[in-house]
Amino acid sequence: MCLGVPGRIIEIEKTMAKVDVAGFLREISLDLCPDVSVGEYVLIHTGFAIQKVDEEDAKETLELLKKMVQAI
Amino acid sequence: MSEEKILLAHGSGGKLSHDLIQKLFLPLFLNPPFEPLDDSAEIPDQKKRLAFTTDSYVVNPLFFPGGDIGKLAVCGTVNDLSMKGAIPSYLSLSFIIEEGFPIELLKKIISSIHATAKVAGVKIVTGDTKVVEHGAADQLFINTAGIGWIKEGVSLSSKNARPGDAILLSGYIGDHEMAILSQREGFQFQEALKSDCAPLNDLVQKMLDVCPAIRCMRDPTRGGLATILNEIASMSNVGIVIEEEKIPIRESVRGISELLGLDPLYLANEGKLICICPSGAEGDLLKVMRSHPLGKEAHLIGKVTEENRKKVVLKTLIGGHRILDMLTGSQYPRIC
Amino acid sequence: MKFVDEFRIQEIAKGLIERIKKASTKPVQLMEVCGTHTVSIFRYGIRGLLPEQIRLISGPGCPVCVTPNSDIDLAIALCRQKDVILTTFGDMMKVPGSTSSLQKEKAEGKDIRIIYSSLEVLRIAKENPEKKVVFFAIGFETTSPTIAVAILRTKEMGIPNLFFLNSQKRIPPALYALLQLRQVKINGLILPGHVSTILGKAPYQFISKEFSIPAVITGFEPLDILQGIWMLVRQIEENRSEIEIQYKRIVKEEGNLVAQAKIDEVFEKADGHWRGIGRIPESGYRFKEAFQTMDARAFDVEVEPSKEHPECLCGEVLQGIKIPLECRLFKKVCHPENPIGPCMVSIEGTCHTFFKYQ
């Protein structure tokens, strides 16, 4: 029920956006996540963007994980 | 301007029925020496092992990316025969049509049947058309039955899998059900997602040519890969282990599955096959499969085991294990 | 898929499991609150990869499962009205009420429509002006702001025939109630990543302050979950109890303020009824005055007296007190084709997950 999937914004029109989820295109609402621009990734839940995906934080988490694993 | 529609009288057996058959069906399905208007077809061949199957097609919508109910009705039955190792030869073709159905669409469906039968090398030798009153059927249903001959030395069955055997899959899974679902829900894609609907008989014969000892072939239609593997494990009283990372799934199919919370391993396919072969034969088989247009993405996905009898175990992407059960219930009816 | 595949890499998973094994010195029970976590954990076989002394138990985080029978009976009564179109998320269809289910009602010809987005109900209402469209709105804080937006739009656009049967739930008060009961030993909490996307960290502070239990807001990919578990094990071993965020790429400290504001605009906190648990203070929402005309609970319909199967253990399962294998109905009478309780219906229900993956 609380599924969320990242998608890339490819078009914005007022409060709606077209997003690309692995080639699958979907119209979503930006009402809950208005400050986004084309090219950015958002987390999609039941037809709404509910948060921007932070690329920097994603990179940081992955770097951290890789370091932890290398340190074994 | 009124569109021509199917009327109850088209199925009455009277003049309109006759017209319909004469004008629409016969020009495409005359296969001398068969006399299609006789009550049954006489099959002259007298070989030893005959495979015989039937299936009904009720897919909604009737037309979908990559196919339509007509193409499906030929492929489905051709594939069922092929999975027995039979060379499909003759098909029957039977329609149940809702009164009011546009004749133009019926024409399209019939020519699609014709084209697919040609590709598959099968002849449609007998048929029937019934028309029911408005509301008694949803647009149009098709039933086909088929006959094929099984070659000497070939014996395919879900009971034949043995520990140590290799499990091959002929390509991307989930395309058919996702194409249907997308059409119905109005989903859009960067690149159109198409049903994989195709006749597998040519691929199957080429595989049997290089390895007549293949134990079992199945096409993972309703219930998908997971359900069919469960059937094999149960009927052969063996265990099956497959590896998640080896299973080919298109990005877009994964995308929707993630979004809608579906599992691609349970999605229906109409042009894929699972092959179980003795260990050692997989290399030659994969070569043949990958050089065929319907097997380009073929993969070795797992093996048959002594342990976990009657169960299918999935080795997950991160190295964990879980039991893959049969499909229980269905969210989306009428996919074939 | 970007931001998905990177978090499913086997090599890193193996390394993380090694780190967890090294860090863990004593038996612990960790609860994953959210049903989406439960599904991920089973789907990737994570339980089997962890050292034996780390036990994962499933919590109450499936909104379908916790919807009380009385609300389902009310939805059924509403859909039986001739002029009503009932809309809801797909998961609700099979949930048994006292004597029927929405799926059965649909088969009998009632107009019930499955939706994928809360905004779809606006379109359905506009297309059917002669009908009353009722949205059976369930969900936790992840979904609530989307429902709030639908309600605000309904008002803005002046759609007169759209109503909401609100059965939403709030996670933090339910966690508070669960921890206060102390029926089950919990050494650490895997907190729901997407509920927290909306809420942020603040509403969970009581977990560390009042109960001294470590908690980590965790994402849903296998590497997220493993990292979350590792962070919990570290807190436990170091005798810390903090609210940490593992799912940093999505969850901000303060949450999604726009979404919080939408919820506050439409709803106020109210007691919530949880199946098997009962009334929990402030664990639900009710309409603020300006929106009460859209409340489907005001409809005058006769609802059957609600009753539950006496042997169904969903209540205990939802609280992590019992596991499905302890239920006499499990697999014998109750299975996905014939679910007795809601935990077997929802694909995120603990019973369904046990049935499918165990």
Side-chain angles (χ1 to χ4, degrees):
Chain A
M1 197 44 213
C2 286
L3 275 178
V5 177
R8 193 172 57 90
I9 297 191
I10 53 175
E11 226 175 84
I12 297 178
E13 212 194 313
K14 288 178 195 163
T15 62
M16 297 300 282
K18 199 175 238 183
V19 285
D20 178 348
V21 183
F24 170 41
L25 303 181
R26 209 135 209 237
E27 293 281 337
I28 59 160
S29 157
L30 295 179
D31 281 281
L32 301 175
C33 193
D35 296 324
V36 288
S37 20
V38 170
E40 286 185 311
Y41 279 78
V42 290
L43 190 80
I44 306 160
H45 170 72
T46 60
F48 283 75
I50 59 166
Q51 189 58 276
K52 211 189 289 194
V53 183
D54 193 319
E55 297 225 34
E56 281 306 307
D57 276 319
K59 247 187 237 162
E60 232 168 74
T61 304
L62 281 169
E63 291 295 315
L64 175 77
L65 290 175
K66 279 178 194 154
K67 264 188 212 149
M68 278 175 61
V69 170
Q70 279 160 5
I72 298 172
Chain B
M1 212 177 70
S2 77
E3 208 181 352
E4 268 190 292
K5 305 263 169 146
I6 288 287
L7 306 173
L8 272 177
H10 277 118
S12 68
K15 169 110 178 42
L16 272 178
S17 306
H18 190 75
D19 279 0
L20 190 72
I21 291 164
Q22 287 291 349
K23 285 189 192 141
L24 231 56
F25 292 82
L26 286 189
L28 292 179
F29 302 123
L30 268 181
N31 299 302
F34 293 103
E35 181 41 74
L37 292 183
D38 279 353
D39 278 342
S40 58
E42 185 184 327
I43 310 289
D45 307 56
Q46 281 300 330
K47 295 182 192 162
K48 270 186 199 151
R49 292 162 70 214
L50 182 73
F52 180 36
T53 188
T54 182
D55 212 336
S56 296
Y57 301 86
V58 297
V59 65
N60 174 29
L62 297 175
F63 296 85
F64 48 84
D68 57 74
I69 189 168
K71 183 177 181 188
L72 200 60
V74 175
C75 294
T77 297
V78 162
N79 291 348
D80 281 351
L81 290 170
S82 305
M83 294 306 112
K84 205 63 195 156
I87 300 169
S89 306
Y90 306 121
L91 255 51
S92 74
L93 171 66
S94 173
F95 287 91
I96 295 173
I97 310 174
E98 185 186 15
E99 167 189 24
F101 189 76
I103 289 186
E104 203 45 48
L105 290 186
L106 183 60
K107 263 190 199 158
K108 267 176 86 174
I109 291 166
I110 291 173
S111 68
S112 162
I113 291 173
H114 177 245
T116 313
K118 208 168 159 189
V119 171
V122 292
K123 293 193 165 96
I124 287 155
V125 296
T126 185
D128 180 45
T129 305
K130 294 278 188 308
V131 178
V132 296
E133 61 268 41
H134 184 73
D138 187 2
Q139 301 186 77
L140 173 140
F141 300 147
I142 300 179
N143 173 279
T144 54
I147 288 177
W149 313 103
I150 304 172
K151 264 203 221 164
E152 202 70 37
V154 169
S155 169
L156 303 182
S157 164
S158 298
K159 289 181 183 161
N160 290 351
R162 289 177 215 164
D165 286 355
I167 304 171
L168 311 176
L169 173 67
S170 68
Y172 290 118
I173 56 164
D175 293 4
H176 175 73
E177 187 159 351
M178 275 309 181
I180 300 277
L181 179 64
S182 306
Q183 173 84 359
R184 197 153 40 196
E185 301 292 336
F187 293 163
Q188 292 180 314
F189 296 91
Q190 289 281 36
E191 274 174 57
L193 177 65
K194 284 189 192 154
S195 163
D196 57 354
C197 179
L200 291 164
N201 49 335
D202 187 56
L203 173 62
V204 168
Q205 288 311 318
K206 291 202 162 88
M207 289 169 70
L208 284 169
D209 285 347
V210 24
C211 178
I214 291 174
R215 312 246 202 237
C216 164
M217 287 207 209
R218 293 291 306 272
D219 58 336
T221 53
R222 278 174 302 175
L225 180 67
T227 302
I228 300 299
L229 288 176
N230 265 287
E231 282 180 25
I232 297 170
S234 165
M235 288 175 73
S236 295
N237 193 26
V238 292
I240 282 178
V241 182
I242 57 168
E243 291 182 46
E244 191 170 13
E245 63 177 353
K246 300 281 173 60
I247 300 167
I249 304 171
R250 238 177 261 283
E251 275 285 287
S252 53
V253 171
R254 280 184 53 205
I256 328 177
S257 299
E258 297 280 344
L259 209 57
L260 302 183
L262 301 171
D263 190 339
L265 299 178
Y266 292 91
L267 295 176
N269 311 276
E270 289 293 344
K272 294 292 155 11
L273 63 83
I274 301 164
C275 167
I276 300 197
C277 67
S279 168
E282 65 271 20
D284 287 346
L285 277 169
L286 278 176
K287 221 182 271 170
V288 172
M289 292 168 85
R290 286 178 180 162
S291 62
H292 193 281
L294 296 179
K296 275 189 275 184
E297 300 296 328
H299 271 83
L300 172 67
I301 60 163
K303 61 171 194 237
V304 179
T305 61
E306 189 92 47
E307 58 275 12
N308 293 313
R309 282 180 190 271
K310 294 185 192 278
K311 289 206 168 82
V312 180
V313 176
L314 179 81
K315 191 172 165 235
T316 70
L317 285 181
I318 60 156
H321 290 85
R322 67 158 152 124
I323 301 284
L324 264 190
D325 207 348
M326 291 218 176
L327 178 71
T328 47
S330 165
Q331 268 177 290
Y332 305 105
R334 293 181 52 194
I335 47 177
C336 59
Chain C
M1 278 174 79
K2 199 173 172 189
F3 301 118
V4 172
D5 293 342
E6 307 95 296
F7 294 91
R8 295 181 180 173
I9 296 168
Q10 190 171 139
E11 289 314 303
I12 300 180
K14 275 187 185 154
L16 270 170
I17 291 157
E18 280 307 305
R19 294 292 289 233
I20 292 169
K21 278 183 186 161
K22 274 189 188 160
S24 157
T25 64
K26 55 190 170 207
V28 291
Q29 285 210 98
L30 310 179
M31 176 182 269
E32 85 270 2
V33 176
C34 172
T36 311
H37 274 140
T38 308
V39 170
S40 243
I41 286 164
F42 277 87
R43 185 165 160 198
Y44 291 99
I46 288 174
R47 283 187 180 202
L49 291 170
L50 293 173
E52 257 176 52
Q53 55 185 358
I54 297 180
R55 194 166 168 243
L56 297 181
I57 50 176
S58 307
C62 157
V64 173
C65 305
V66 301
T67 303
N69 242 350
S70 52
D71 277 5
I72 293 160
D73 292 338
L74 175 55
I76 289 168
L78 287 168
C79 83
R80 286 176 177 164
Q81 304 297 304
K82 276 212 171 70
D83 57 347
V84 165
I85 299 175
L86 191 87
T87 62
T88 192
F89 295 117
D91 261 14
M92 286 310 289
M93 294 299 290
K94 281 194 256 175
V95 182
S98 296
T99 55
S100 183
S101 71
L102 293 174
Q103 183 174 263
K104 280 185 197 157
E105 297 295 319
K106 189 176 164 70
E108 279 171 24
K110 308 297 185 303
D111 196 344
I112 301 170
R113 303 190 191 178
I114 295 172
I115 55 158
Y116 294 105
S117 160
S118 305
L119 288 183
E120 281 174 58
V121 296
L122 299 169
R123 180 182 50 78
I124 295 172
K126 275 195 286 182
E127 285 171 4
N128 297 279
E130 74 293 350
K131 298 269 187 168
K132 291 180 186 136
V133 175
V134 176
F135 179 21
F136 187 10
I138 60 150
F140 295 137
E141 289 93 333
T142 323
T143 317
S144 292
T146 74
I147 295 165
V149 169
I151 291 171
L152 289 167
R153 283 280 168 82
T154 307
K155 197 168 176 79
E156 273 164 38
M157 297 163 73
I159 302 174
N161 61 326
L162 182 53
F163 303 87
F164 295 80
L165 173 54
N166 169 28
S167 191
Q168 301 170 79
K169 301 282 183 289
R170 301 179 59 235
I171 283 283
L175 274 179
Y176 188 86
L178 194 75
L179 294 178
Q180 220 179 14
L181 277 172
R182 294 181 200 276
Q183 289 251 32
V184 51
K185 186 162 176 47
I186 298 171
N187 305 100
L189 282 165
I190 300 171
L191 293 177
H194 291 154
V195 163
S196 311
T197 302
I198 306 298
L199 293 182
K201 242 164 111 166
Y204 300 115
Q205 290 308 330
F206 68 88
I207 299 173
S208 50
K209 288 212 175 97
E210 284 187 47
F211 298 96
S212 304
I213 294 174
V216 177
I217 294 170
T218 306
F220 298 92
E221 296 303 330
L223 294 190
D224 289 324
I225 294 172
L226 289 172
Q227 190 189 10
I229 291 171
W230 178 75
M231 288 166 80
L232 280 174
V233 168
R234 276 235 313 206
Q235 284 203 43
I236 294 167
E237 297 293 334
E238 292 167 8
N239 282 319
R240 288 184 290 127
S241 58
E242 296 162 20
I243 313 295
E244 292 179 310
I245 303 176
Q246 176 279 329
Y247 199 27
K248 284 192 176 144
R249 64 185 183 279
I250 303 286
V251 178
K252 305 297 150 210
E253 296 263 330
E254 70 283 7
N256 180 336
L257 297 174
V258 176
Q260 289 170 24
K262 298 276 184 204
I263 297 178
D264 289 344
E265 204 176 334
V266 177
F267 301 115
E268 55 197 15
K269 292 170 193 164
D271 292 357
H273 288 270
W274 295 61
R275 181 184 301 247
I277 304 173
R279 178 189 292 264
I280 301 176
E282 299 205 336
S283 69
Y285 290 118
R286 66 168 163 247
F287 287 96
K288 283 193 168 162
E289 213 179 325
F291 303 94
Q292 277 170 5
T293 50
M294 292 180 220
D295 192 349
R297 288 186 194 271
F299 281 39
D300 186 21
V301 288
E302 202 172 314
V303 185
E304 61 189 316
S306 90
K307 56 171 197 273
E308 279 166 34
H309 196 291
E311 286 185 274
C312 174
L313 292 188
C314 277
E316 284 90 337
V317 169
L318 285 167
Q319 299 172 72
I321 299 166
K322 295 249 164 91
I323 61 168
L325 304 174
E326 294 173 83
C327 178
R328 283 169 38 134
L329 305 176
F330 183 70
K331 275 196 178 178
K332 294 186 186 81
V333 189
C334 181
H335 45 85
E337 306 289 352
N338 179 43
I340 304 295
C343 297
M344 185 59 90
V345 176
S346 168
I347 52 168
E348 294 186 351
T350 307
C351 296
H352 188 108
T353 314
F354 262 74
F355 187 95
K356 195 166 164 203
Y357 297 128
Q358 191 83 336

